[in-house]
Amino acid sequence: MKKQQNNIDHKKVYRKLMSHVWPYRWAFFLALLGNILYGIVDASFIKLFEPLLDKGFVDRDQSFIKWIPYVVVAIFLLRGLATFLSTFFMGWVGRQVVMNFRQKMFKHMINLPASFFDRTTSGETLSKITYNVEQVANACTDAITVLVRESCTALALFGVMLSISWRLTCLFIVLVPLMAGVMHFVSRRMRMVSGRVQDSMGSVTHVAGEAIEGQKVIKAFGGQDYEFNRFVEATQNNRRQEMKLIATSALSIPMIQVIGAFALALTVYLATLNPDNAMGTAMSTGAFAAMISAMIALLKPIKQLTKVNGNIQKGIAGAASIFKFLDEMAERDQGRLEMQSSTGHVAFNHVSFSYENPDISGIAEKTLDNISFEVKAGETIALVGRSGGGKSTIANLLPRFYECEGEILIDGVNVRNIPLKDLRKQIAIVTQHVTLFNDTIGNNIAYGQSATEEDIKHAAEQAHALEFIELLPEGFNTVVGENGVRLSGGQRQRLAIARAILKRAPILILDEATSSLDTESERHIQSALEQLMRQCTTLVIAHRLSTIQKADKIIVIDKGQIIEMGTHKELMQSNGVYNTLRNMQFQEHSEIMTDSLL
Ligand code: ADP
């Protein structure tokens, strides 16, 4: 049953793969033609042995002999043409397939929901886009080249053998099922192990990627040995899986060849018992030599076909993982109510949510439980509370990074009914973790927008970024390095704020947006932000409660629930959690101040 399932999947994968080659069918068929021609030409050369020996050496037929050099040159010219056709056009198809798969996977990846990235490591995905795609290209091109060329050669050689002696050929053919049996077993094993090789390659990329990204933490915490051991484990696993492939291939090639050699030995034995009448067929010297040459020549295609089988199985396993990736559900974007510009009125009605991480009992714990609140256009609300309470999760639900239960409304329209592009146009986000691209400062600020230089400069000025940008040798044209490594935390944060200012969205989300700024910069930016906040609806998540005192509404979140809601004054009077948190922070602050004075 399981075997059958495997077969069905394998055929489906192959069919799907071929559908990606179909647009290039003309080049593909030209290449196939080249391969077929190659096989025929190769076999014809062997067939030529028969008249060559009989007429050239035994009969010494001069009229025949003088043609031999021309025929040899013509055969090799044809062979050259066949090789060119197959190599060039197969290569062309292969590279097209690689490029298309990569582009398709990338496009799909950037439209996958946030939940996909929560459960998959970047290394695994990267490995699919680089390594697995290459394996598939090999299967589509190199492997098919060998498959078609060598099969044609083998068939043509069989034709040659049949034309000389069908009885001896039949003897040879008897062994074909035995070879097929070995090949079948080998294919299954290769496919299975190839999948594991690809997974192990994903781990290698993953561990290496993490070590590159976290290099400072590794140095600071002396994690070099730990990371190296992790990498050793990943590469050892990769090597082990690769060795299984190599062992299977190393065993299968000689096995098939030995079977072929037995057939050859038996034929020679029978033919030489009575050379004049081998198995009832009177054979000339030339015919006998051609027969034996064809049999020996057959060993090469058999060897190649056994070897290429490994590549085809690797390709199928690679293609299966690529198709699985492409089948991942993209973000649902079924909203049809276009929204050009909203007023910024936001409402959460009975919103509940859990990340896709059911606990051991299989029931996912709710990260947000029945959250309801309203923010009028232009108002500022602050979400406060203990870390892990669910504040960032609320901010993540508004742009629909995740799907939730209940409804979230913007201007009375459920966000599910707004096209994602329109919805996200309404929202500017500044988070604690700033993402910058390895591009110029100007392009990073204008990311995703079409803006004039003036606009960019103005936004940078408002975010108090202009003062440091102008000191840089190339100003706005300075390239910031991967994720802005050449900038300080505060500078990065100011660029993120400038980016949000430039977007001029009606809703602004500030998730610990000023946390990397020193008090001095924060004071400057706070005034810029306050100006911006006056123009839009703002959701602020702040750890430092002193910064959100002026908010129109403060919501205290704990364990996914709203436990208090009101203005600063109301909450201070009610003597609840907010009051306690506020007093705790005030006390800490005073202690720090006193310590620094002493
Ligand atoms: P806060 O912003 O209040 O600190 P979060 O909204 O970040 O809290 O997190 C709320 C809870 O959800 C925490 O228990 C956290 O572990 C969990 N959580 C946050 N992000 C994810 C995620 N991507 N996948 C799974 N769980 C998450």
Side-chain angles (χ1 to χ4, degrees):
M1 189 64 207
K2 201 174 159 218
K3 195 172 136 192
Q4 205 176 10
Q5 186 71 36
N6 257 344
N7 271 344
I8 292 165
D9 282 348
H10 152 216
K11 280 187 193 141
K12 210 167 113 189
V13 167
Y14 217 86
R15 256 205 309 277
K16 246 175 150 178
L17 191 54
M18 281 300 128
S19 74
H20 284 80
V21 176
W22 190 242
Y24 312 108
R25 54 190 172 281
W26 296 118
F28 191 72
F29 288 132
L30 268 179
L32 286 189
L33 195 75
N35 289 321
I36 295 170
L37 189 65
Y38 185 96
I40 295 172
V41 171
D42 243 22
S44 316
F45 193 63
I46 299 228
K47 174 72 180 164
L48 207 66
F49 281 10
E50 188 182 355
L52 188 74
L53 286 177
D54 287 345
K55 292 192 183 171
F57 290 92
V58 180
D59 300 344
R60 295 228 151 250
D61 179 349
Q62 284 306 318
S63 64
F64 178 78
I65 290 175
K66 76 169 193 254
W67 281 105
I68 292 176
Y70 299 107
V71 174
V72 169
V73 170
I75 283 183
F76 275 87
L77 272 178
L78 267 179
R79 205 175 185 254
L81 175 73
T83 309
F84 174 80
L85 281 178
S86 98
T87 315
F88 181 81
F89 287 105
M90 271 299 179
W92 188 81
V93 172
R95 290 299 109 191
Q96 289 285 351
V97 170
V98 165
M99 185 185 75
N100 288 348
F101 263 128
R102 288 196 175 138
Q103 289 176 355
K104 208 169 171 181
M105 289 169 85
F106 187 85
K107 190 164 180 207
H108 187 65
M109 181 187 76
I110 50 182
N111 285 306
L112 285 174
S115 54
F116 170 82
F117 297 93
D118 289 346
R119 66 185 144 84
T120 328
T121 69
S122 55
E124 282 165 4
T125 312
L126 278 178
S127 167
K128 280 197 176 99
I129 296 178
T130 51
Y131 181 73
N132 293 16
V133 171
E134 241 2 286
Q135 306 275 297
V136 172
N138 283 343
C140 281
T141 57
D142 296 358
I144 287 191
T145 302
V146 176
L147 185 72
V148 176
R149 180 195 291 171
E150 302 304 332
S151 308
C152 285
T153 312
L155 276 179
L157 285 172
F158 265 124
V160 169
M161 285 162 66
L162 270 175
S163 74
I164 299 169
S165 160
W166 67 269
R167 282 170 215 244
L168 285 178
T169 312
C170 286
L171 194 73
F172 202 84
I173 288 177
V174 169
L175 290 157
V176 168
L178 201 59
M179 292 188 194
V182 175
M183 292 276 271
H184 181 69
F185 167 78
V186 168
S187 302
R188 271 196 18 221
R189 183 158 170 79
M190 286 269 190
R191 203 156 54 235
M192 194 178 71
V193 180
S194 294
R196 289 196 216 134
V197 168
Q198 281 154 14
D199 289 347
S200 66
M201 199 56 210
S203 307
V204 171
T205 329
H206 162 65
V207 177
E210 262 190 358
I212 294 167
E213 253 172 56
Q215 50 102 8
K216 282 196 184 132
V217 179
I218 294 174
K219 288 189 182 105
F221 288 86
Q224 283 95 336
D225 289 345
Y226 176 73
E227 288 301 325
F228 182 65
N229 287 338
R230 257 188 359 139
F231 195 69
V232 165
E233 205 175 299
T235 43
Q236 259 175 359
N237 183 32
N238 178 251
R239 185 195 57 87
R240 259 196 300 273
Q241 302 303 339
E242 289 272 15
M243 275 319 293
K244 283 185 194 164
L245 269 189
I246 293 170
T248 314
S249 157
L251 267 175
S252 64
I253 294 170
M255 263 165 80
I256 298 270
Q257 280 194 321
V258 166
I259 297 172
F262 266 113
L264 178 65
L266 195 61
T267 319
V268 174
Y269 173 72
L270 288 175
T272 48
L273 270 183
N274 182 0
D276 294 333
N277 188 17
M279 288 186 77
T281 320
M283 261 202 276
S284 66
T285 315
F288 182 72
M291 185 78 188
I292 297 296
S293 304
M295 283 186 175
I296 294 173
L298 250 180
L299 294 182
K300 182 190 156 225
I302 290 174
K303 179 185 162 195
Q304 293 279 346
L305 287 172
T306 325
K307 208 164 138 188
V308 83
N309 188 30
N311 282 349
I312 292 180
Q313 301 314 324
K314 275 185 205 167
I316 290 175
S321 86
I322 290 172
F323 291 136
K324 191 164 169 255
F325 174 79
L326 289 174
D327 284 343
E328 287 280 348
M329 285 280 281
E331 280 189 306
R332 272 195 285 163
D333 189 10
Q334 72 283 50
R336 291 287 166 267
L337 294 176
E338 285 179 20
M339 181 176 271
Q340 287 314 318
S341 181
S342 66
T343 63
H345 181 280
V346 174
F348 273 58
N349 285 341
H350 307 289
V351 171
S352 294
F353 173 76
S354 48
Y355 289 100
E356 289 171 312
N357 58 344
D359 64 14
I360 302 155
S361 63
I363 305 155
E365 204 178 303
K366 278 190 176 167
T367 309
L368 294 180
D369 190 7
N370 201 13
I371 300 280
S372 297
F373 63 86
E374 185 190 357
V375 201
K376 296 206 180 84
E379 271 189 357
T380 295
I381 65 145
L383 300 175
V384 301
R386 279 191 302 183
S387 166
K391 304 180 292 294
S392 298
T393 307
I394 292 179
N396 278 333
L397 293 184
L398 190 56
R400 272 186 65 205
F401 291 153
Y402 298 92
E403 300 288 337
C404 63
E405 290 169 45
E407 355 169 83
I408 301 172
L409 309 168
I410 293 182
D411 283 2
V413 182
N414 192 323
V415 289
R416 278 193 206 113
N417 299 330
I418 308 171
L420 281 178
K421 211 169 171 196
D422 284 3
L423 169 67
R424 290 172 186 170
K425 236 191 267 168
Q426 314 301 319
I427 304 164
I429 307 177
V430 185
T431 61
Q432 191 176 1
H433 305 285
V434 179
T435 303
L436 292 177
F437 299 91
N438 189 16
D439 202 340
T440 63
I441 287 190
N443 287 343
N444 265 299
I445 294 178
Y447 189 75
Q449 327 278 328
S450 49
T452 63
E453 269 181 36
E454 270 309 297
D455 291 340
I456 297 173
K457 197 169 168 191
H458 186 65
E461 195 174 3
Q462 279 191 303
H464 287 263
L466 196 59
E467 51 214 48
F468 81 84
I469 296 172
E470 280 182 336
L471 292 179
L472 294 170
E474 287 173 80
F476 281 93
N477 292 324
T478 312
V479 175
V480 297
E482 193 177 316
N483 214 5
V485 276
R486 291 184 208 131
L487 301 174
S488 75
Q491 288 170 335
R492 284 208 294 267
Q493 199 94 25
R494 277 182 270 175
L495 290 187
I497 292 170
R499 194 188 270 169
I501 291 174
L502 188 72
K503 193 171 177 188
R504 287 196 204 94
I507 302 165
L508 177 68
I509 297 174
L510 302 174
D511 188 350
E512 302 275 2
T514 51
S515 58
S516 329
L517 302 178
D518 52 73
T519 323
E520 181 64 26
S521 319
E522 189 176 354
R523 202 169 297 148
H524 278 307
I525 290 174
Q526 202 65 39
S527 62
L529 280 179
E530 272 170 22
Q531 204 181 340
L532 181 69
M533 283 152 79
R534 247 174 263 137
Q535 297 155 20
C536 44
T537 307
T538 316
L539 223 111
V540 195
I541 298 171
H543 179 65
R544 252 180 280 169
L545 300 183
S546 55
T547 55
I548 47 110
Q549 222 160 291
K550 290 188 211 145
D552 296 294
K553 204 185 283 174
I554 295 167
I555 301 176
V556 186
I557 311 273
D558 197 41
K559 295 190 184 131
Q561 290 180 328
I562 295 180
I563 51 168
E564 275 171 34
M565 181 153 42
T567 61
H568 169 73
K569 213 165 150 192
E570 286 165 0
L571 293 180
M572 286 305 280
Q573 277 165 0
S574 74
N575 227 353
V577 177
Y578 178 77
N579 195 345
T580 320
L581 282 173
R582 174 86 212 190
N583 287 339
M584 261 160 55
Q585 282 194 2
F586 188 70
Q587 211 172 340
E588 272 172 28
H589 185 70
S590 329
E591 275 169 17
I592 293 166
M593 292 295 281
T594 327
D595 283 351
S596 62
L597 285 175
L598 286 176

